[in-house]
């Protein structure tokens, strides 16, 4: 029983039912089918809603074979050694410990310090208890608001008299959906107003000014100018927010009011007074990047609706709905990103994908991830080590590699935890956003699949509003380390594309094991390149990577480490392949 629940806990549909329910299936009926055993077959097509006969391409399970028993033993030993490498260099007995010990704080685990030196995660970690209080308070306030203001049509849809009941029933259901939308939007605006003032203080007025300007672009400009004006305004706002550091009131008043000289001090003092209360998060412009994505979503959804008013009623695109969407509290701080049309649809009709059982499992998975992060930063101090930047030559190639690997794992977790926290809040509130992190960072053997599953809602946003409108091409860009990282990732996609043409799967159907092993060799190369790119962008930098390469290729110990690492990665990839085959046996075909 416990094993069955564990399998359900880590089933794909616990993360997001979009992975297992085809887009063309009636939602309620499809989700009834999705309640089957997660190890059993599902009458589901692929994630795009198209039928997919994959029976001939799916191999029988290999878990109970000598090959995979051997893989399991080797992988278990490797995982222990990986953890031991970082634990050793994090111990007080290591020569470099005094160089980073000042970055450690007292932890809640007895006898352990905690590495809370990452500013981004530290800010979330220090406020998570307060956020939990808000998450618990939010649905209680909504229920209280609904019970006081709600109309009867919100909760009860009754058929009319016999004779024309079908038609009237449809109209009544539509009226109930509109009432639900109006009711929820009203509460969202009120709560967002309080939430925004608490977060950003007087900077709330700056945010509202930007929102109004963007709405005016969509609704007041001639239709043909909306897309270009939307992109110019929002990209310009992104840079202006950054360069001006959020627009100081003292600077604004000094420039635009132009008071007489004897009133200069009074004007500056008033501006400084407004600047002095910036709320819990004075740097509002940092968080506003996600809001800009929602501004673009609204404008372009509205622009496309102008050609199909019958399916997109005018009253959907009101300023009231726009304000509720762009400032929706559960997703305001970090996403995931929901398009405007999706938000309005879910406000009208509660998604069938949200059930108490599924939300409870999602909560348990979140708590497990949070506890994993807490244990890791109490025992493994790779973030502090990288901040202290000691001499990399004091570490063995294995230790330096594992420091880089677990630093990447820390980055993955510090993004995963806030995304899942805020998505959990939205699920509790009756909104089902896309899941941002599809797979564990260590369960990826393809560069293309990795980036489709990393920040998945942004990937889908980019496809809908950028990639497809531009005809399927877009130009990435970044600065410094991230520029090099971006070029490396782009470069490392090429071998995967070339290999898929040189070794097409259809030519190896009669030799599935040989093809599986051949793909495993290629996947090892992909993983090494992906790790190298991420080490440059987020951990070691070029200097540290150079030291790692010299340590590996310049010593016998390094060559032994490289060989054993490649062998272990090959076995891990075979396990990943088998996990994907298990998904195919259930009818799930994912491109990530």
């Amino acid at each position: 029983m416990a094993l069955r629940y564990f399998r359900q806990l880590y089933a794909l549909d616990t993360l997001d039912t979009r992975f297992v329910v085809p887009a063309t299936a009636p939602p309620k009926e499809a989700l009834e089918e999705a309640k089957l055993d997660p190890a059993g077959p599902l009458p589901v097509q692929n994630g795009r809603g198209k039928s997919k006969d994959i029976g001939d391409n799916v191999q029988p399970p290999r878990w109970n074979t000598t090959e995979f028993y051997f893989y399991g033993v080797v992988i278990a030993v490797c995982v222990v050694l990986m953890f031991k490498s970082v634990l050793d260099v994090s111990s007080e007995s290591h020569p470099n410990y005094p160089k980073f010990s000042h970055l450690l704080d007292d932890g809640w685990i007895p006898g352990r310090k905690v590495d809370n030196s990452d500013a981004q995660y530290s800010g979330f970690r220090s406020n998570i208890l307060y956020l939990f209080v808000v998450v618990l308070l939010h649905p209680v306030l909504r229920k209280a608001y609904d019970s006081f203001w709600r109309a009867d049509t919100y909760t009860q849809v009754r058929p009319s008299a016999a004779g024309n009941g079908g038609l009237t029933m449809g109209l009544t259901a539509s009226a109930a959906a509109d009432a639900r939308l109006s009711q929820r939007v009203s509460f969202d605006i009120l709560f967002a107003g309080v939430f925004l003032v608490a977060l950003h203080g007087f900077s709330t007025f700056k945010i509202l000014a930007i929102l109004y300007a963007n709405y005016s672009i969509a609704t007041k400009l001639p239709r043909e100018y909306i897309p270009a004006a939307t992109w110019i305004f929002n990209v310009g706002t992104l840079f202006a927010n950054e360069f001006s550091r959020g627009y100081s009131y003292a600077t604004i008043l000094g420039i635009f009011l132009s008071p007489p000289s004897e009133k200069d001090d009074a004007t500056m003092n008033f501006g400084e007074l407004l600047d002095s209360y910036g709320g819990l998060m004075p740097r509002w412009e940092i968080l506003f990047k996600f809001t800009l994505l929602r501004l673009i979503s609204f404008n372009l959804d509205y622009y496309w609706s102008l050609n199909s008013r019958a399916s997109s009623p005018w009253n959907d695109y009101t300023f009231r709905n726009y304000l509720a969407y762009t400032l929706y509290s559960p997703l305001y701080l970090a996403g995931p990103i929901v398009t405007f049309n999706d938000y309005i649809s879910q406000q009208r009709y509660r998604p069938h994908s949200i059930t108490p059982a599924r939300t409870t499992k999602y909560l348990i998975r979140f708590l497990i991830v949070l506890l994993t992060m807490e244990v890791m930063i109490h025992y493994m101090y790779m973030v502090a080590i990288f901040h202290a930047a000691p001499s990399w030559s004091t570490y063995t190639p294995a230790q330096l590699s594992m420091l880089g690997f677990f630093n990447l794992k820390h980055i993955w977790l510090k993004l995963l935890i806030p995304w899942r926290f805020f998505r959990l809040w939205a699920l509790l509130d009756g909104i089902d956003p896309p899941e941002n992190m599809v797979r564990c960072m260590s369960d990826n053997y393809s560069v293309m699949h990795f980036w489709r599953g990393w920040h998945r809602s942004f990937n889908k946003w980019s496809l809908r509003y950028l990639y497809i409108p531009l005809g399927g091409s877009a130009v990435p860009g970044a600065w410094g380390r991230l520029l090099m990282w971006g070029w490396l990732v782009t470069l490392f996609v090429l071998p995967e594309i070339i290999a898929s043409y040189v070794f097409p799967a259809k030519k190896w159907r009669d030799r599935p094991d040989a093809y599986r092993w051949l793909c495993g060799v290629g996947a090892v190369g992909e993983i090494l390149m992906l790790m190298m790119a991420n080490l440059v962008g987020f951990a070691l930098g070029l200097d540290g990577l150079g030291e790692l390469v010299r340590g590996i290729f310049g010593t016998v110990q390094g060559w032994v480490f490289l060989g054993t690492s490649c062998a272990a990665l090959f076995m891990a990839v075979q396990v990943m392949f088998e996990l994907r085959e298990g998904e195919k046996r259930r009818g799930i075909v994912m491109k990530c």
Side-chain angles (χ1 to χ4, degrees):
M1 194 70 178
L3 179 60
R4 177 183 174 85
Y5 188 80
F6 180 81
R7 293 164 71 179
Q8 291 176 344
L9 190 65
Y10 282 90
L12 278 172
D13 62 304
T14 298
L15 274 188
D16 196 331
T17 59
R18 297 171 180 87
F19 299 141
V20 298
V21 177
T24 55
K28 188 173 183 179
E29 290 79 357
L31 285 168
E32 286 297 322
E33 298 288 354
K35 293 178 182 178
L36 298 175
D37 189 329
L42 273 174
V44 175
Q45 297 94 12
N46 62 24
R48 302 174 83 78
K50 302 175 183 176
S51 61
K52 183 89 170 177
D53 184 11
I54 57 174
D56 295 337
N57 298 326
V58 177
Q59 301 297 317
R62 299 186 177 90
W63 295 117
N64 294 321
T65 62
T66 303
E67 177 188 355
F68 275 80
Y69 284 135
F70 176 71
Y71 291 163
V73 172
V74 173
I75 291 171
V77 172
C78 289
V79 169
V80 172
L81 293 177
M82 290 167 66
F83 279 97
K84 184 179 183 301
S85 294
V86 182
L87 289 172
D88 288 344
V89 299
S90 301
S91 66
E92 295 183 11
S93 60
H94 194 273
N96 282 338
Y97 184 83
K99 297 180 180 179
F100 62 83
S101 60
H102 65 283
L103 297 173
L104 306 178
D105 300 322
D106 293 331
W108 57 267
I109 297 179
R112 297 300 306 177
K113 295 283 189 178
V114 61
D115 183 358
N116 200 30
S117 57
D118 183 272
Q120 186 177 8
Y121 183 69
S122 176
F124 176 81
R125 184 174 182 267
S126 61
N127 289 298
I128 192 168
L129 292 179
Y130 302 108
L131 287 171
F132 264 119
V133 171
V134 175
V135 169
L136 294 175
L137 186 63
H138 183 257
V140 173
L141 292 176
R142 186 184 288 279
K143 286 185 179 295
Y145 180 86
D146 286 350
S147 64
F148 187 77
W149 293 102
R150 176 161 53 194
D152 290 341
T153 53
Y154 184 1
T155 53
Q156 299 180 7
V157 181
R158 297 181 294 274
S160 66
N164 64 344
L167 176 60
T168 308
M169 177 65 176
L171 293 174
T172 307
S174 177
D178 287 341
R180 185 178 193 273
L181 169 66
S182 178
Q183 184 76 13
R184 287 182 59 87
V185 163
S186 297
F187 175 81
D188 286 344
I189 292 176
L190 288 174
F191 191 89
V194 176
F195 189 61
L196 213 61
V197 170
L199 285 178
H200 305 311
F202 287 115
S203 292
T204 300
F205 295 112
K206 305 171 191 175
I207 295 172
L208 293 177
I210 294 173
L211 263 56
Y212 180 76
N214 181 77
Y215 183 80
S216 298
I217 288 173
T219 57
K220 296 181 180 180
L221 286 181
R223 181 183 182 276
E224 61 270 19
Y225 298 132
I226 293 175
T230 294
W231 280 105
I232 292 171
F233 173 78
N234 283 281
V235 173
T237 299
L238 176 66
F239 284 100
N241 289 352
E242 191 70 24
F243 293 144
S244 68
R245 297 182 63 84
Y247 317 106
S248 163
Y249 276 115
T251 303
I252 294 173
L253 293 177
I255 293 174
F256 292 101
L257 292 186
S258 300
S261 57
E262 63 272 10
K263 294 183 180 180
D264 282 352
D265 291 340
T267 300
M268 294 299 292
N269 289 339
F270 180 64
E272 290 171 358
L273 175 64
L274 296 178
D275 290 330
S276 65
Y277 182 68
L280 298 174
M281 297 181 178
R283 294 294 306 279
W284 65 272
E285 70 276 10
I286 296 176
L287 299 171
F288 197 70
K289 296 180 179 70
F290 284 99
T291 304
L292 289 173
L293 300 180
R294 290 187 282 270
L295 299 189
I296 294 172
S297 174
F298 173 84
N299 282 21
L300 295 186
D301 281 359
Y302 170 75
Y303 168 76
W304 290 324
S305 77
L306 296 177
N307 287 335
S308 55
R309 281 286 170 76
S311 59
S312 299
W314 167 255
N315 60 10
D316 281 356
Y317 298 92
T318 63
F319 185 73
R320 182 167 167 268
N321 290 350
Y322 164 77
L323 205 61
Y325 164 68
T326 53
L327 301 178
Y328 181 58
S329 299
L331 304 180
Y332 172 77
L333 289 172
I337 304 161
V338 176
T339 67
F340 175 78
N341 287 348
D342 190 11
Y343 169 81
I344 292 297
S345 175
Q346 293 193 50
Q347 293 286 52
R348 275 202 168 89
Y349 306 99
R350 180 180 175 87
H352 292 289
S353 58
I354 300 178
T355 64
R358 184 173 287 109
T359 303
T360 300
K361 292 172 189 172
Y362 194 84
L363 169 62
I364 294 173
R365 287 189 63 163
F366 168 77
L367 294 176
I368 291 173
V369 171
L370 182 63
L371 180 61
T372 300
M373 181 64 142
E374 284 297 306
V375 172
M376 188 172 75
I377 62 179
H378 275 80
Y379 286 90
M380 307 169 77
Y381 304 145
M382 54 278 168
V383 179
I385 291 173
F386 281 116
H387 281 171
S391 174
W392 302 123
S393 61
T394 59
Y395 300 100
T396 67
Q399 290 172 338
L400 192 54
S401 297
M402 290 304 100
L403 279 172
F405 174 81
F406 280 101
N407 191 70
L408 294 178
K409 185 67 76 174
H410 182 278
I411 293 171
W412 178 73
L413 283 171
K414 79 173 184 179
L415 295 175
L416 174 72
I417 289 171
W419 282 337
R420 286 202 176 164
F421 177 85
F422 292 117
R423 182 168 185 258
L424 174 65
W425 182 2
L427 290 173
L428 292 171
D429 189 47
I431 296 292
D432 187 1
E435 172 62 32
N436 259 347
M437 291 289 201
V438 179
R439 301 191 189 278
C440 173
M441 188 195 83
S442 302
D443 187 18
N444 284 278
Y445 55 83
S446 163
V447 175
M448 290 188 293
H449 291 181
F450 176 78
W451 290 117
R452 286 180 183 138
W454 179 287
H455 206 332
R456 183 169 171 267
S457 68
F458 179 64
N459 181 278
K460 287 184 168 294
W461 183 96
S462 300
L463 289 175
R464 177 175 172 82
Y465 298 111
L466 189 63
Y467 188 81
I468 294 175
L470 289 177
S473 61
V475 181
W479 294 272
R481 279 188 183 183
L482 294 182
L483 178 61
M484 181 63 70
W485 164 78
W487 277 110
L488 287 174
V489 169
T490 303
L491 178 65
F492 293 161
V493 168
L494 292 178
E496 182 177 343
I497 297 174
I498 294 171
S500 65
Y501 283 103
V502 177
F503 303 102
K506 61 183 180 183
K507 291 186 178 181
W508 295 76
R509 286 180 179 174
D510 297 333
R511 293 175 289 172
D513 284 335
Y515 186 66
R516 172 169 58 91
W517 295 327
L518 177 65
C519 291
V521 173
V524 169
E526 286 281 289
I527 292 173
L528 291 176
M529 291 188 293
L530 190 59
M531 290 178 67
M532 185 187 306
N534 283 283
L535 285 173
V536 170
F538 298 108
L540 297 174
L542 288 174
D543 293 339
L545 182 64
E547 189 68 41
L548 175 61
V549 171
R550 284 190 293 272
I552 290 177
F553 293 103
T555 63
V556 174
Q557 183 186 20
W559 280 102
V560 172
F561 168 71
L562 179 63
T564 54
S565 296
C566 289
L569 284 174
F570 176 85
M571 298 178 195
V573 165
Q574 296 304 316
V575 173
M576 295 181 209
F577 287 167
E578 188 61 20
L579 290 172
R580 303 303 192 276
E581 288 296 312
E583 291 173 1
K584 289 181 182 178
R585 293 180 201 115
R586 298 184 63 229
I588 302 170
V589 181
M590 296 170 57
K591 291 188 176 182
C592 55

